[in-house]
Amino acid sequence: MKAFKNITYLLLSTTLFVGCSKDFLEEDTSGFQAPNNTYTTTNGFETGLTGLYAFARLEFQTWTNDFFTQGATPQEALQVGTDIVAIKGTGTDATLAPFSNYTLNPTSSYVRNYWKFAYGLIGNSNLILSALDNPNIQWKDADQDPKRVRATADFFRAYAYRYLVSLYGDVPWVDKVSELPRTDFTRTPKQEVVQHMIADLKYAAENLPENPGSVEDGKLTKWAAYHYLAEAYLWANKPDSAIIAAQAVINAPYFRLNDQRFGVEKDLAGDYFHDMFIEKNQNRKSGNQETIWAIQLEYNSQGGGDLYTDWSKRAWVPFYAQQTGFVLADSLGGRGLGHIRPYEWWLNGYEVQDVRNSKYNIKRNWYHNDAKSPLYGTKLNITDQIKESGNVFVTTTKFFYGKTADNPAFEGNMKDRVKIRLAETFLLLAEAYLQKNDPGSAATAINVVRARAKATPVSAAQVNVDYLLDERARELLGEEMRRMTLSRFGRNVFLDRVKRLNIQSKGVIKEGNELWPIPQEVIDANSGAEFPQNLGYNN
């Protein structure tokens, strides 16, 4: 990425010590330049914050960074093996398969990589937070600058711990920079970690900028912190607090659900839901009033991405170019590999008039497009064999991207990635009401989202955990990291959903698989204290 290489080179070369250390939890800065050379002025801290944003983007960077070099689609490891998608029968990404067939183990690629990614982000956040103790910092605004810096670092620390508690359960809470290597970490109970996350997010919500129009694209505001604060309160089983946090976002004057055409293709065929997933429509300047936080990944732009950024297209877009009578085309989403396909329960959950069900948002009909083929112009009959091969299947268009002129290899998704949008905040609000056994209020929150989609309102009698998870799939397929969502709902819900809805995983998943194993090298390196493995991964 340009920002990774140009803007933050100094920071990344001197402070990414967690990712470079032998122990993923070790925070030894002795081999690097001291942070007091950088963190002495407002400008120095701005460099550090830019580094945090760059580090957070690494989750969507493939092949060319130290964390996710072992596969093309790391975030799809958080989709497979849940209730939402199948992997193709043959030729799928070998790094994804163990997470679907549950042969993953403590040395599996993404088991190790997400741990490194999260603690790397935590380590760099802690470095900035520790540097704030220096009384001699030259601030431009001595009142606001230190609060904003701390709020940003607190946000990213909590953001990283979202991954850790979702994927691994009890994990060490680390909030200090250690000058010496440590081998005596212990696993902090998840609920204790969640309380620390709440404290971080509360400070971030109180001290990040308020007006999203006053910050650069991709920069945080307090509303992103309030959204994740609502989620953290759900982890903590505090629904009343979650309701307050979610409503703070919903009642803010800056956001609304997009229900009118907007953006670069507003005068072309399409609809307002599809507009949210068209390149250059993710940020507010496009007219998108629903985005609360978008990670900047746009192809070949300052602070954006490159050919190796966000290969979600390879996962969600079928490998149609391998099917007789098809050639690569922008209109068909570019170069997909069909690594994962949505289960049909998702597709069958829509009503006909639901905007999310339109031809612009779900690609159902595939017509042969090779002008040299005798099949040209005819509709493909998608047999089970074709579907399971990954060649052609019904799928979401959220990750369609071509742009042959810019990217002949059709490699990445190449557009900014919305991490938080208002529709999910409403669904978190519904979850909070369900948690306090108020299905009527949950239905009211869900119906705001369904009204935007022109779907029939749901009644209180229909709303339960399963209905809410189904609605999240209808609204957020591919956007939410499904494993993290199911993890928040608990072991029983996780196992039940997979056993009922995932044909490939239902016969192999077992108790304990709702979590990933602790990476083996973490346990091996932690010789100074017991560091037990998660249930089911000891053999």
Side-chain angles (χ1 to χ4, degrees):
M1 294 181 294
K2 288 182 177 290
F4 186 83
K5 294 178 180 176
N6 298 335
I7 298 176
T8 62
Y9 180 78
L10 173 64
L11 175 86
L12 295 175
S13 65
T14 59
T15 67
L16 294 189
F17 51 86
V18 176
C20 298
S21 66
K22 293 181 180 179
D23 182 347
F24 300 153
L25 291 174
E26 182 180 302
E27 296 185 280
D28 176 13
T29 62
S30 60
F32 302 91
Q33 296 180 17
N36 59 14
N37 292 331
T38 301
Y39 299 139
T40 58
T41 65
T42 294
N43 286 342
F45 278 100
E46 292 293 354
T47 300
L49 297 186
T50 299
L52 294 184
Y53 283 101
F55 203 110
R57 288 198 296 270
L58 289 179
E59 182 190 2
F60 297 99
Q61 185 80 358
T62 56
W63 298 116
T64 57
N65 72 77
D66 292 334
F67 297 93
F68 296 108
T69 56
Q70 298 183 51
T73 53
Q75 63 272 23
E76 290 1 300
L78 305 184
Q79 308 286 358
V80 301
T82 67
D83 58 343
I84 202 75
V85 295
I87 61 173
K88 63 182 180 180
T90 58
T92 195
D93 189 328
T95 55
L96 289 180
F99 295 86
S100 178
N101 59 30
Y102 282 97
T103 58
L104 73 164
N105 60 64
T107 64
S108 295
S109 58
Y110 299 131
V111 167
R112 303 170 59 248
N113 293 342
Y114 268 101
W115 184 282
K116 290 191 292 183
F117 165 73
Y119 275 111
L121 184 53
I122 290 164
N124 282 278
S125 299
N126 285 341
L127 190 66
I128 290 173
L129 292 168
S130 296
L132 287 171
D133 292 336
N134 180 0
N136 300 316
I137 298 169
Q138 298 177 23
W139 297 107
K140 292 180 180 179
D141 184 335
D143 179 54
Q144 295 301 318
D145 286 354
K147 295 177 182 177
R148 178 175 51 82
V149 168
R150 177 185 163 186
T152 305
D154 276 356
F155 176 93
F156 278 114
R157 182 166 64 184
Y159 178 75
Y161 270 109
R162 291 178 63 246
Y163 287 87
L164 291 169
V165 297
S166 297
L167 300 178
Y168 308 98
D170 300 344
V171 293
W173 170 257
V174 182
D175 63 353
K176 296 289 189 298
V177 176
S178 174
E179 295 184 0
L180 297 174
R182 286 184 55 189
T183 59
D184 61 347
F185 289 97
T186 57
R187 298 183 66 176
T188 307
K190 180 173 68 176
Q191 283 302 321
E192 184 178 333
V193 174
V194 168
Q195 292 305 313
H196 289 303
M197 292 165 58
I198 288 171
D200 278 354
L201 290 167
K202 286 178 67 175
Y203 187 89
E206 292 164 359
N207 292 283
L208 283 169
E210 176 179 336
N211 185 351
S214 69
V215 301
E216 298 175 0
D217 289 344
K219 291 298 179 67
L220 293 165
T221 64
K222 62 173 62 224
W223 312 112
Y226 271 120
H227 176 96
Y228 283 138
L229 181 60
E231 183 188 74
Y233 277 129
L234 289 170
W235 274 110
N237 296 309
K238 295 182 177 180
D240 289 327
S241 296
I243 289 167
I244 292 171
Q247 287 180 334
V249 182
I250 290 167
N251 294 330
Y254 306 105
F255 310 104
R256 63 174 177 80
L257 297 182
N258 293 314
D259 59 2
Q260 302 293 325
R261 296 299 306 278
F262 70 92
V264 295
E265 296 185 11
K266 65 180 180 180
D267 297 323
L268 303 179
D271 59 50
Y272 51 81
F273 191 81
H274 183 61
D275 283 340
M276 289 192 285
F277 306 98
I278 296 171
E279 185 195 14
K280 302 187 185 301
N281 279 6
Q282 286 68 53
N283 299 299
R284 293 181 66 83
K285 63 187 177 186
S286 70
N288 186 339
Q289 301 299 296
E290 187 164 335
T291 294
I292 297 169
W293 183 36
I295 290 184
Q296 304 299 291
L297 302 173
E298 186 177 314
Y299 175 58
N300 205 26
S301 63
Q302 187 68 41
D306 59 21
L307 291 178
Y308 296 97
T309 300
D310 193 2
W311 283 12
S312 297
K313 174 177 61 180
R314 293 202 166 196
W316 294 93
V317 176
F319 201 176
Y320 62 89
Q322 194 169 245
Q323 184 68 32
T324 301
F326 284 88
V327 293
L328 290 173
D330 294 3
S331 60
L332 298 183
R335 186 174 181 263
L337 298 182
H339 286 155
I340 58 178
R341 71 178 189 277
Y343 276 117
E344 291 183 2
W345 70 259
W346 156 75
L347 180 66
N348 296 336
Y350 292 107
E351 297 172 298
V352 173
Q353 79 279 8
D354 194 319
V355 172
R356 300 167 298 186
N357 189 40
S358 79
K359 65 180 181 180
Y360 304 108
N361 298 307
I362 298 176
K363 179 66 174 173
R364 290 181 176 80
N365 300 318
W366 293 77
Y367 292 87
H368 299 94
N369 70 334
D370 185 354
K372 298 179 181 179
S373 170
L375 298 171
Y376 180 70
T378 62
K379 181 180 176 180
L380 174 68
N381 176 29
I382 305 176
T383 64
D384 287 344
Q385 182 178 5
I386 291 173
K387 177 179 66 176
E388 292 172 8
S389 72
N391 282 7
V392 184
F393 49 84
V394 178
T395 191
T396 176
T397 63
K398 290 177 180 179
F399 303 101
F400 276 35
Y401 187 97
K403 302 297 182 186
T404 53
D406 294 337
N407 179 21
F410 288 84
E411 293 189 343
N413 208 53
M414 310 304 183
K415 54 191 175 186
D416 297 336
R417 184 74 173 253
V418 175
K419 288 293 291 189
I420 306 174
R421 58 183 176 92
L422 187 60
E424 185 179 17
T425 314
F426 276 103
L427 296 177
L428 287 179
L429 178 62
E431 184 178 338
Y433 281 121
L434 268 186
Q435 199 173 89
K436 63 178 298 183
N437 196 29
D438 183 356
S441 296
T444 299
I446 292 170
N447 283 333
V448 176
V449 177
R450 290 184 63 78
R452 186 268 294 277
K454 300 188 184 330
T456 303
V458 64
S459 69
Q462 293 173 283
V463 174
N464 55 27
V465 166
D466 276 322
Y467 186 91
L468 178 57
L469 287 169
D470 290 351
E471 188 67 25
R472 285 187 66 96
R474 286 188 285 268
E475 180 71 24
L476 300 169
L477 180 77
E479 300 173 71
E480 69 170 341
M481 302 306 173
R482 190 66 169 185
R483 173 169 280 273
M484 297 175 70
T485 298
L486 293 186
S487 177
R488 189 172 68 251
F489 279 82
R491 173 184 294 178
N492 292 338
V493 171
F494 193 112
L495 295 177
D496 174 69
R497 297 278 301 187
V498 175
K499 289 179 178 180
R500 284 191 294 110
L501 299 172
N502 188 322
I503 296 171
Q504 293 178 336
S505 301
K506 66 180 183 180
V508 292
I509 192 171
K510 59 183 182 299
E511 186 175 357
N513 287 156
E514 72 280 358
L515 294 176
W516 285 356
I518 303 296
Q520 189 60 45
E521 54 257 63
V522 172
I523 295 174
D524 293 343
N526 203 67
S527 58
E530 184 179 0
F531 207 98
Q533 182 56 270
N534 279 334
L535 176 69
Y537 296 107
N538 287 313
N539 296 323

